[in-house]
Amino acid sequence: MKCEACSACFHQSCAEIVQRSGTPCDAKTKKLPVDLAPSPQPVKEWSNKHVIEWMAVVNMCNYVESFKRQKVDGQTLVSLTDDGLLKLGMEDDFHRQSMMICIDELCGREQLEGSAIGESMECTSDETEHELYEHTFNTVQRCHKCNKYLFGIIRQGLQCKVCGLSIHRQCKQGKVPACGESQLSGRWPQSSNKEPLFGIDLESHCRSSKDGAVPDVLRVCIDEIERRVGAGEAEWGAFYRTPVPTKSMVELKNALEKAGDVMSVSLSDYKPQVIGGIIKKYLRELENSLIPTEYYDRFIAAAKEDADASNKTIISLVNELPGDHNSMLRYLMTHFFTITSDKNLKAGSHSRLLQVFCHIILRPSWENIMNLTYNIQYHLKILDYVFTHAVNENKDSSARPVSADESLEKCKWFWGDISKEEVHDQLNGTPDGTFLVRRATTHATKGDYTLTLRKGSKNRLIKIYHKNGRYGFSEPYEFASVQKLVEHFTYHSLAEYNAELNCTLDYPVVTPSESDMHVVDDCKTLDELLATHLEYQDKTLSLETLVAKHLKISSDIQMLYQAHESFKELVKVFEEQLTLHRNNSKKAQAHEQSKLQQNSIVLETRLKDITRSQNHLEVSIKQKTSDNRQVVAQMNDVKPEIKALSKKADSLRSILVSRGHDRKHIDDYLESRQKPDIDYDGQSEYSSSINNAYVQGSFTSSSYPMSIVEPTKLIPHKDQSNWYREGVNRTLAREFLRGKPEGTFLIRPRDEEGSYALSIVDAKGQDVHCIISRGPDGYGFADPFKIHEHLMDLVLHYRETSLAEHNPSLNCRLLYPAYLPQES
C-alpha cells in the first residue's frame, strides 16, 4: 500500500499497524523517488530498477552495484540459481543461500528442504517483556513468531538478549512468544558471550578501549594491516577487495570475542581478507553507522550542491559529528591514506578503496534503506571530500621534513644521550612496563636506539636497530619510525619479540622538561587519588556493616528455625494428648466426663496459642530471609564498586610513580589522611579480614581470624577429598549416604559443565539432592547467594549456616563429609 500524500509504502499488514499506532504522515517530505505501477506487476516484468529497490528492502545492498552492472531484471532474477549468483560475484555460501531464500519467498517457492524448525510458536506476551536489539546472524534464521526466514546478510532482525528470541522487525508488533530459554530450546544458535564486540554503539567501545579513543578490535586489525603493507607482504586490495567466506570471518570474530584482551590476539596466521573482513563487519554492524544515520539527509543534500559549496558544507558536517564518530572517521581516513600512498600503486587506489566502504561508513536509517540504491554516487563524493581533507590535514601538520631525532625530541619518553647509570636511577623501584628510550652508542654511525624496560624488578635493555629507514628489534625491520614501534608495543605484548617479556609499554618515564609541565597535573592526579582512596574507605566500611548485618540475620534465622522445630514437636505432643483424651472420653464413666472435657478445652486453647505463635514465627522467618537476601544483594553491588575503586587507585598511583614520585611517600600521604576507624558492634578487630575476603569474592567462615575459628586440623571439610569425588552419580551417592546421620554430605559433578550437586542426609534420614551452579560472582544454590569463589568456600559457609535459607524443609548444615576416613 502507498500513501498518496508522502509516497510512503507499506505491506498491507504493516499499513494496518501504522494506522493503529497513529504514526503521523509527513506530506512535505517525499524521501523516496518511488515509481509504482498503478496495479500489481509480475516479478518477471520488473526492470533492473525494481530489482535494485527490492534488494535494498531485503537487506542485500552489498551486491546492488553488481546487479546494476549486469542489468539483472525480473526475468533474470526469478531464474537465478546458486551457480548464477556465483557468476554475479556472490562467492560467499551464506550470502548465496540468503539470496536464494529471498528469491524463493518473492516467487512463492518452497524453501530449503529439511530446514523447517516446526510450527510458529504460541504468542502470549508483549514485546516489552524482551530485551530486543538489532542483530546480525551468520547463518540462516527463522522468525520465532511467523516461522518465515529473516532476510538479508546483516542486521536481519531483532534478537532478545535474555532468551535469544529472533523475529522480524515488523513481527514485534502485537503479541510475541514468551521470554524464556526453555521456550526456545533448540530453535536458535546459543551464544554464551555476554560482552559482544560487534553490533553495539561506538561510544561504549571507544571509552572501554586501551587508549580511550580507538576500539581495540579495530586497532589490532588496522595495526596488522599497516604492518603487512609496510613490510611489502601484501597490498591493500588483498585485505579489502578480496571476498572472504563468512565461516572464516566468524572464526576470527569468535577468537576476538573470547579473548580477555583483544590486543593480545595474534593475527599473523590469518589471511589478509579475513582481517579486512572483520573491519568491514565491525563497521557495518555498529548500532549507528560511523557517519550517524541522523546526519544522512544533510550529507546527501550537501553532496548535491556545486563543488565548492559542497566541499565546505561536508567538512563542516564532519566537524559537527559526535566526538567518537568524528575521531574514528579521521582515523580511518588516515589509515586509508597510509595503505594507498605507495608511489608504486596505481593511480586512484584510494578511490577504489572508498568504493568498498561507501555504503558501510554512510547509510540511511532502516526505514529509508531504499535511499541507498539512489545515492551511491553521492556516498562516493562525500567520502572523497572527507579523505582529501584528512590527507591535507596530515600534510599541513608535517609540512617541513624533520629528522628522526627531531621528531623524537617531542616524545615524552625519549631521553637523548642519557647514560646507563642515569637510566637505572630513573627506573629503580618502578612497576613492570615502565620504559624510556635513549640513543644507542651506535646511533652516530647507524641511527640505532635503546629501549630500557622494567620487567621482573630488573632493567631490560633492548636494541632498536635502524636500516633503510625502518626500525625494529630484529629483521625484518617493520616500523617506519621509533614512535610507531613504541605505539605498537603499547598495545601488543613484547612477547612476540621475546617470550620472557610478556608485558606492554605501559608507563613512560617522562623527561625533566616534561615533568615540569606535569607539576599541576600531578597535583590533580594526587587529589583524584586521595578522593578515590577515601571513597574506597567509605565503601569498605559500608561492606563491613553489611557483612556484620548478614552474620547477625543468619544467626537469627538459625535460632528461629530451631524454635520452629521446637514448636513442631510441641504441637505433636499436644495433638497426641488431645487424641488420648478423646479416646479415654469414650471409655470414661459419667462422673469422669466433665473433668476430661475441661482438660480437653485447656489443651485445645494452648494448642491454638502454640499454633498462633508458630505462624508468627514462620512470618518472622520469611521476613528475616527476605532481609538477608537484600543484604547479600547489597553486598554483591558494593563488591564490584570496591574492586573498581581499587583498580583506579592503583592506576593513579602508577601514573605518579612513573613521573618520579616515591611510592612510599604516596602511601604515607594517603595513610595520614585516612578517616578514623569506626567500630561496628565490635567488628573492627577483624574487619580487614572480612573485607579482604569479600572483595576477593571468597567470604566464608574461614575468613575470620583464628581466634574465632577452629584450628585447621579440626576441620575435615578443608580436605576436598573428604567430600568430593569424580564419577559419582545419584545412585552411588545414595549408597554412600544410606544409614548415615543427619548432615552427612557429599558433592558430585553433573553432566552440565560448571555445575555440581549436593547430596545430604536430612532430619528424616532421607537423602536430598540440590543443584550447585556458578554465577558471575561464584558458586551457590540460587541468586543472590552465588557468591562463593570455590566449592570449598561454599562447603565451609554451610558448615556454619543452615540450608533452610534456601529450602525451609531442609534445616540442616554440612556437618559430616561422607568420605571422611573412619577412626579405628
Side-chain angles (χ1 to χ4, degrees):
M1 297 183 70
K2 175 186 174 186
C3 176
E4 294 294 339
C6 69
S7 295
C9 300
F10 308 95
H11 294 108
Q12 186 165 350
S13 58
C14 294
E16 296 172 0
I17 294 172
V18 170
Q19 290 173 343
R20 287 199 304 271
S21 64
T23 304
C25 169
D26 189 356
K28 296 179 181 179
T29 306
K30 295 188 178 183
K31 296 183 177 179
L32 300 178
V34 180
D35 182 18
L36 295 181
S39 60
Q41 191 169 3
V43 178
K44 291 184 178 181
E45 298 178 13
W46 282 7
S47 66
N48 175 252
K49 181 181 177 183
H50 294 141
V51 171
I52 298 306
E53 290 174 351
W54 170 79
M55 288 179 71
V57 172
V58 295
N59 213 350
M60 298 296 296
C61 293
N62 290 32
Y63 298 98
V64 161
E65 290 302 304
S66 175
F67 274 59
K68 273 186 181 179
R69 284 195 303 271
Q70 299 297 328
K71 298 180 180 179
V72 175
D73 57 14
Q75 182 71 37
T76 307
L77 181 70
V78 298
S79 62
L80 279 174
T81 61
D82 190 76
D83 289 339
L85 293 174
L86 195 59
K87 292 177 182 178
L88 284 169
M90 200 174 291
E91 298 185 15
D92 186 274
D93 293 341
F94 166 55
H95 292 184
R96 294 199 305 277
Q97 189 180 20
S98 298
M99 188 65 175
M100 288 308 302
I101 285 172
C102 296
I103 295 173
D104 289 343
E105 176 69 20
L106 178 68
C107 299
R109 298 195 293 241
E110 188 175 346
Q111 299 175 347
L112 292 178
E113 291 184 14
S115 62
I117 57 170
E119 299 300 322
S120 303
M121 296 179 65
E122 183 181 1
C123 300
T124 58
S125 304
D126 295 328
E127 58 100 0
T128 52
E129 180 183 322
H130 296 270
E131 292 184 33
L132 297 173
Y133 72 107
E134 283 194 337
H135 184 70
T136 294
F137 299 90
N138 296 312
T139 57
V140 292
Q141 173 71 40
R142 287 183 184 267
C143 173
H144 287 135
K145 179 176 180 180
C146 70
N147 204 27
K148 289 182 178 292
Y149 282 106
L150 303 180
F151 300 127
I153 53 178
I154 58 165
R155 310 172 79 86
Q156 298 99 321
L158 306 176
Q159 188 174 78
C160 177
K161 293 180 181 179
V162 178
C163 70
L165 175 85
S166 303
I167 56 174
H168 294 103
R169 290 172 179 83
Q170 65 267 25
C171 283
K172 77 172 183 177
Q173 303 294 338
K175 298 294 184 180
V176 295
C179 187
E181 292 187 19
S182 61
Q183 297 285 331
L184 303 169
S185 177
R187 289 176 171 256
W188 64 289
Q190 180 79 32
S191 172
S192 59
N193 184 46
K194 295 184 179 181
E195 297 181 1
L197 293 176
F198 295 76
I200 66 172
D201 64 290
L202 180 66
E203 290 82 0
S204 297
H205 260 178
C206 287
R207 285 195 298 271
S208 62
S209 65
K210 200 161 187 178
D211 65 354
V214 179
D216 291 339
V217 65
L218 284 187
R219 172 77 73 177
V220 70
C221 291
I222 286 176
D223 282 356
E224 180 65 16
I225 290 174
E226 293 185 356
R227 184 193 69 76
R228 292 194 194 182
V229 171
E233 295 178 19
E235 292 186 357
W236 69 268
F239 294 95
Y240 292 126
R241 287 179 68 87
T242 306
V244 52
T246 297
K247 182 179 179 181
S248 300
M249 200 154 51
V250 170
E251 286 177 1
L252 177 53
K253 173 180 177 285
N254 291 340
L256 291 167
E257 288 189 325
K258 289 178 181 177
D261 179 10
V262 171
M263 303 301 294
S264 67
V265 177
S266 174
L267 303 180
S268 57
D269 294 333
Y270 290 94
K271 293 181 179 179
Q273 62 266 35
V274 178
I275 301 171
I278 282 292
I279 292 177
K280 290 187 287 185
K281 182 178 181 64
Y282 178 88
L283 294 173
R284 192 179 284 122
E285 294 182 15
L286 282 173
E287 194 171 278
N288 200 349
S289 54
L290 197 53
I291 295 179
T293 55
E294 55 266 31
Y295 287 81
Y296 183 83
D297 291 338
R298 295 171 64 190
F299 270 93
I300 296 299
K304 293 178 180 179
E305 299 174 359
D306 63 78
D308 290 339
S310 179
N311 189 5
K312 186 176 180 181
T313 306
I314 288 171
I315 300 308
S316 175
L317 285 171
V318 169
N319 293 330
E320 284 184 32
L321 296 179
D324 291 319
H325 289 261
N326 185 308
S327 59
M328 267 306 306
L329 183 61
R330 294 173 186 271
Y331 175 77
L332 202 59
M333 293 300 142
T334 303
H335 164 61
F336 291 166
F337 174 70
T338 300
I339 64 175
T340 60
S341 58
D342 192 322
K343 294 180 181 179
N344 296 321
L345 293 177
K346 294 179 181 179
S349 289
H350 81 273
S351 297
R352 291 194 294 277
L353 179 57
L354 295 180
Q355 288 174 10
V356 175
F357 282 87
C358 68
H359 60 279
I360 297 175
I361 293 175
L362 181 67
R363 67 171 184 259
S365 62
W366 177 254
E367 295 79 11
N368 302 307
I369 194 64
M370 283 175 63
N371 279 338
L372 191 147
T373 63
Y374 306 112
N375 294 329
I376 291 294
Q377 71 272 29
Y378 298 120
H379 287 214
L380 289 169
K381 184 177 180 181
I382 291 164
L383 292 191
D384 192 59
Y385 279 144
V386 176
F387 176 84
T388 304
H389 180 70
V391 171
N392 290 335
E393 276 189 334
N394 288 335
K395 288 181 178 178
D396 292 342
S397 65
S398 56
R400 181 182 65 85
V402 294
S403 67
D405 252 19
E406 283 181 302
S407 60
L408 276 175
E409 292 290 352
K410 299 177 182 179
C411 298
K412 59 186 179 181
W413 37 259
F414 181 63
W415 283 69
D417 292 315
I418 187 174
S419 68
K420 290 181 180 179
E421 291 73 20
E422 290 175 299
V423 170
H424 289 308
D425 289 341
Q426 291 295 332
L427 292 176
N428 255 348
T430 57
D432 284 0
T434 305
F435 73 98
L436 60 82
V437 175
R438 62 184 176 88
R439 295 187 187 95
T441 53
T442 55
H443 177 267
T445 56
K446 296 184 178 180
D448 300 334
Y449 295 87
T450 299
L451 167 70
T452 306
L453 170 72
R454 189 73 172 178
K455 173 64 176 169
S457 301
K458 295 180 181 179
N459 296 335
R460 306 295 185 96
L461 277 64
I462 309 171
K463 188 75 164 283
I464 302 175
Y465 293 96
H466 172 250
K467 186 177 181 180
N468 298 329
R470 303 194 74 79
Y471 298 85
F473 299 133
S474 59
E475 292 191 279
Y477 305 128
E478 301 172 352
F479 301 98
S481 66
V482 177
Q483 293 95 315
K484 285 283 187 182
L485 180 148
V486 171
E487 180 183 354
H488 176 80
F489 287 107
T490 298
Y491 302 101
H492 298 79
S493 172
L494 284 144
E496 64 185 58
Y497 155 70
N498 183 337
E500 295 181 1
L501 302 179
N502 187 21
C503 67
T504 52
L505 303 180
D506 293 326
Y507 310 115
V509 180
V510 297
T511 56
S513 58
E514 189 76 16
S515 295
D516 294 339
M517 295 170 61
H518 277 301
V519 170
V520 175
D521 287 342
D522 286 356
C523 292
K524 290 181 179 178
T525 303
L526 189 60
D527 287 343
E528 187 178 359
L529 175 59
L530 177 61
T532 304
H533 179 70
L534 294 176
E535 187 178 358
Y536 173 85
Q537 281 189 300
D538 286 341
K539 294 292 184 183
T540 52
L541 289 174
S542 173
L543 181 58
E544 290 171 19
T545 305
L546 290 170
V547 170
K549 189 173 182 181
H550 170 60
L551 294 173
K552 176 68 167 60
I553 296 175
S554 296
S555 176
D556 291 346
I557 291 173
Q558 183 72 19
M559 293 177 63
L560 289 171
Y561 271 112
Q562 290 174 356
H564 189 265
E565 289 297 317
S566 299
F567 274 120
K568 286 169 66 176
E569 293 299 322
L570 197 57
V571 166
K572 287 182 182 178
V573 171
F574 272 82
E575 287 177 343
E576 288 173 358
Q577 288 296 317
L578 282 169
T579 302
L580 186 62
H581 269 70
R582 293 190 189 100
N583 292 336
N584 289 337
S585 295
K586 296 176 183 178
K587 303 174 184 178
Q589 300 295 323
H591 66 278
E592 296 175 328
Q593 291 286 346
S594 176
K595 188 65 174 177
L596 286 171
Q597 188 174 2
Q598 290 177 7
N599 288 342
S600 293
I601 292 172
V602 172
L603 287 172
E604 287 174 355
T605 301
R606 290 183 180 177
L607 180 58
K608 288 180 181 178
D609 291 339
I610 293 171
T611 304
R612 192 180 299 111
S613 298
Q614 187 181 24
N615 293 337
H616 286 314
L617 199 59
E618 289 173 354
V619 171
S620 298
I621 290 172
K622 288 182 180 179
Q623 184 60 50
K624 287 282 186 181
T625 302
S626 175
D627 293 345
N628 211 20
R629 289 178 185 272
Q630 291 179 14
V631 171
V632 172
Q634 290 170 356
M635 289 191 293
N636 289 340
D637 288 341
V638 172
K639 189 165 54 174
E641 293 177 10
I642 292 175
K643 286 183 179 179
L645 289 169
S646 177
K647 186 175 181 181
K648 181 180 178 182
D650 288 342
S651 175
L652 293 169
R653 190 182 285 105
S654 295
I655 290 172
L656 291 171
V657 169
S658 71
R659 293 177 181 171
H661 296 278
D662 184 77
R663 184 179 291 272
K664 186 176 185 304
H665 291 168
I666 297 171
D667 292 338
D668 289 344
Y669 172 78
L670 297 176
E671 188 72 25
S672 67
R673 283 158 176 77
Q674 283 195 33
K675 294 184 178 181
D677 291 337
I678 300 175
D679 184 7
Y680 289 95
D681 298 327
Q683 301 294 325
S684 59
E685 65 178 277
Y686 57 90
S687 61
S688 176
S689 172
I690 294 175
N691 173 59
N692 289 337
Y694 251 105
V695 170
Q696 297 303 319
S698 59
F699 174 76
T700 69
S701 59
S702 61
S703 303
Y704 292 106
M706 287 302 295
S707 60
I708 56 173
V709 180
E710 304 96 321
T712 303
K713 65 181 182 179
L714 297 181
I715 307 178
H717 300 61
K718 290 190 174 182
D719 184 348
Q720 185 168 310
S721 65
N722 287 336
W723 44 263
Y724 179 82
R725 287 182 189 172
E726 294 285 347
V728 177
N729 56 24
R730 180 181 285 220
T731 303
L732 287 175
R734 284 178 169 169
E735 290 299 320
F736 277 119
L737 299 177
R738 183 173 297 167
K740 298 292 176 65
E742 175 188 352
T744 303
F745 74 97
L746 61 86
I747 291 179
R748 53 190 172 83
R750 299 179 72 238
D751 292 338
E752 185 179 343
E753 186 176 355
S755 179
Y756 300 88
L758 166 70
S759 298
I760 186 171
V761 179
D762 66 6
K764 299 176 182 177
Q766 298 177 342
D767 54 279
V768 180
H769 307 272
C770 310
I771 294 176
I772 301 171
S773 56
R774 185 171 182 83
D777 297 313
Y779 291 102
F781 296 105
D783 290 325
F785 295 96
K786 295 179 181 179
I787 59 174
H788 306 283
E789 186 174 5
H790 304 290
L791 288 175
M792 178 72 73
D793 301 329
L794 180 143
V795 168
L796 291 172
H797 178 72
Y798 288 104
R799 173 178 174 269
E800 304 294 333
T801 305
S802 173
L803 291 163
E805 66 180 4
H806 301 294
N807 184 349
S809 64
L810 192 58
N811 185 24
C812 60
R813 294 178 289 133
L814 309 186
L815 298 178
Y816 311 114
Y819 309 131
L820 182 65
Q822 299 296 315
E823 294 184 5
S824 55

